[in-house]
Amino acid sequence: MQAKFKKSYKFAIKTSLYTTIFITLLMSVFLYYLYEFNWLHILGFSLSVFLFSFLIIQFSIERFIYKRVKKIYDDLTLLESASLNKRSITTDMKTLTEEIDKYARDKKLEIETLKVREEYRKEFLGNVSHELKTPLFTVQGYILTLLDGAGEDEKLREKYLKRASKGVERLGYIIKDLDMITKLEVGDLSLNFEKFDIVELVENVFDMLEMKASKKKITLTFDRDYPNPIMVRADKERIQQVLVNLIVNSLKYGREKGTTEISIENLIKSKVIIRVTDNGEGIAKTHLPRLFERFYRVDKSGSRKEGGSGLGLSIVKHIIEAHDEKIYVESEFGVGSEFSFTLEKAK
């Protein structure tokens, strides 16, 4: 038992001193009237009484306090207080009070965190249900219509089958993206790090999304010319997916005849930062803290103007964090948005 007994020492010393003084005075009077009075005998007697009283009182207090404090530690052990279990039992009331207060604060914070997580869980399940329900009901509706006799009309059959196919395709996107996020979260999705030119990769993504951008007459461009390669070290396929998701997102919510601009800048000696900036709808500040959550909706109306799985930004965040890098967002409603992320320079 490792313990601190500062306060119990003080109590034992005072109590022993009072007891010694009383007994010594009593013994002095007794000797003065009945026997020969000797200061040396009185001093030895006083010292003996003091030491005996101190040891008895101190030991009793130690056992008394220790048993009750141990009961407190045992009760906290039932609540799985790992932080207290690892420490030795202390009977110093000040230290014990501080430990219990800290334990109570930690538990309160843990409970509040669990409540927030529970709210997110409920919202997430509701969003998953909505995302899966919409395409499922769409597919079911078209198939039932065809089974009810619409399939006899060749043109109508082809039209409904194409729409049902789009619903199935959307379901596939959602399941595929959910599977990817799950693998990223548990660390099952391995990254293939390689050295590549980020400028060339952005140009390839521009070519890939050129037709999609032309539908809204949005210009995909760099902020300036990059005549020299900028080599980075990352998983090329995953970073391409990040760029595609961010640029597609800017095209969805960008204004017609607008611009999506990519800039690549040196952040520090070993890092570059890639910025994707648009002049679209923008995002209100209240939505920014939760923007990367799965299925989180800025538009609470329940309908999507554009397709997709609703997991694009969440996947972007997980991929960047899997690289041990950072992603940032700045936006002003009605002005536009800027998403940026860091990458390690290739040596």
Side-chain angles (χ1 to χ4, degrees):
M1 178 184 74
Q2 184 181 357
K4 299 177 182 178
F5 301 114
K6 292 182 181 177
K7 300 221 170 161
S8 61
Y9 275 138
K10 290 180 182 178
F11 177 79
I13 289 171
K14 286 182 180 179
T15 307
S16 301
L17 185 60
Y18 295 149
T19 304
T20 301
I21 291 171
F22 174 76
I23 295 177
T24 301
L25 287 173
L26 188 65
M27 181 58 69
S28 298
V29 172
F30 177 77
L31 291 175
Y32 181 78
Y33 285 105
L34 299 179
Y35 299 97
E36 181 183 356
F37 186 84
N38 189 310
W39 282 107
L40 189 60
H41 292 165
I42 294 296
L43 184 61
F45 177 77
S46 300
L47 185 60
S48 299
V49 171
F50 178 81
L51 290 174
F52 178 77
S53 301
F54 175 78
L55 291 173
I56 292 298
I57 294 170
Q58 177 63 22
F59 178 77
S60 300
I61 291 173
E62 285 182 13
R63 297 308 304 169
F64 178 81
I65 295 177
Y66 180 79
K67 286 180 180 179
R68 279 150 183 77
V69 170
K70 188 175 185 301
K71 178 70 165 54
I72 294 173
Y73 276 82
D74 291 341
D75 291 343
L76 291 175
T77 301
L78 295 175
L79 297 174
E80 298 181 354
S81 174
S83 59
L84 283 174
N85 290 342
K86 294 177 182 178
R87 301 179 185 179
S88 57
I89 296 175
T90 175
T91 54
D92 180 9
M93 292 297 105
K94 182 180 178 182
T95 304
L96 180 62
T97 302
E98 289 174 353
E99 288 183 2
I100 299 300
D101 286 344
K102 184 178 183 301
Y103 168 76
R105 288 195 302 271
D106 291 344
K107 282 297 175 185
K108 183 179 178 181
L109 181 61
E110 184 179 335
I111 290 169
E112 290 174 352
T113 302
L114 288 172
K115 286 180 179 178
V116 172
R117 288 180 178 176
E118 177 64 14
E119 289 299 317
Y120 283 170
R121 185 188 69 83
K122 290 178 180 177
E123 187 175 341
F124 170 69
L125 289 175
N127 286 333
V128 170
S129 175
H130 174 81
E131 295 293 338
L132 294 176
K133 180 175 64 178
T134 302
L136 273 173
F137 284 177
T138 300
V139 173
Q140 185 184 40
Y142 286 128
I143 291 175
L144 288 175
T145 304
L146 290 171
L147 291 173
D148 286 342
E152 296 177 3
D153 186 330
E154 187 176 342
K155 290 183 179 179
L156 197 61
R157 181 173 67 238
E158 184 178 355
K159 177 182 176 181
Y160 281 7
L161 285 173
K162 284 182 179 179
R163 290 182 178 179
S165 177
K166 286 183 180 179
V168 173
E169 187 178 356
R170 179 169 168 75
L171 278 173
Y173 284 142
I174 295 171
I175 293 169
K176 180 182 177 183
D177 288 349
L178 274 173
D179 180 59
M180 176 175 291
I181 288 177
T182 303
K183 287 180 178 178
L184 285 166
E185 285 180 341
V186 300
D188 285 347
L189 191 64
S190 59
L191 298 176
N192 180 28
F193 283 87
E194 59 181 300
K195 181 178 176 181
F196 63 90
D197 180 9
I198 188 66
V199 177
E200 181 184 356
L201 184 63
V202 172
E203 289 173 344
N204 292 339
V205 173
F206 280 173
D207 291 340
M208 190 187 309
L209 300 175
E210 185 179 4
M211 290 184 63
K212 191 175 185 67
S214 64
K215 290 180 181 178
K216 292 184 72 172
K217 300 179 181 177
I218 293 176
T219 303
L220 301 176
T221 182
F222 283 103
D223 64 321
R224 60 184 177 85
D225 290 334
Y226 291 93
N228 299 319
I230 299 176
M231 307 305 293
V232 296
R233 183 179 177 276
D235 187 316
K236 186 175 181 179
E237 183 180 346
R238 300 302 173 197
I239 296 304
Q240 176 175 295
Q241 188 174 6
V242 167
L243 289 168
V244 168
N245 286 0
L246 290 178
I247 294 173
V248 166
N249 198 63
S250 75
L251 296 178
K252 285 181 184 178
Y253 303 104
R255 63 167 56 104
E256 194 168 340
K257 297 182 181 179
T259 302
T260 294
E261 182 181 88
I262 305 291
S263 65
I264 306 167
E265 303 170 12
N266 289 320
L267 186 62
I268 56 176
K269 187 176 181 181
S270 61
K271 301 281 186 182
V272 295
I273 186 165
I274 296 93
R275 305 181 191 275
V276 180
T277 309
D278 65 62
N279 55 357
E281 297 176 6
I283 305 162
K285 288 184 179 180
T286 54
H287 297 295
L288 294 181
R290 300 188 60 189
L291 197 60
F292 294 101
E293 289 179 21
R294 288 173 286 188
F295 298 119
Y296 180 73
R297 295 175 181 274
V298 172
D299 177 14
K300 299 295 183 181
S301 63
S303 62
R304 293 189 182 276
K305 293 187 294 183
E306 302 284 349
S309 68
L311 297 164
L313 290 180
S314 183
I315 289 173
V316 164
K317 178 177 180 290
H318 280 85
I319 291 175
I320 295 302
E321 289 182 348
H323 283 77
D324 292 326
E325 301 292 346
K326 301 291 185 182
I327 185 163
Y328 310 93
V329 57
E330 295 180 12
S331 187
E332 185 175 346
F333 187 72
V335 177
S337 304
E338 178 183 282
F339 290 83
S340 56
F341 60 93
T342 59
L343 285 180
E344 181 184 352
K345 286 183 181 178
K347 296 178 181 179

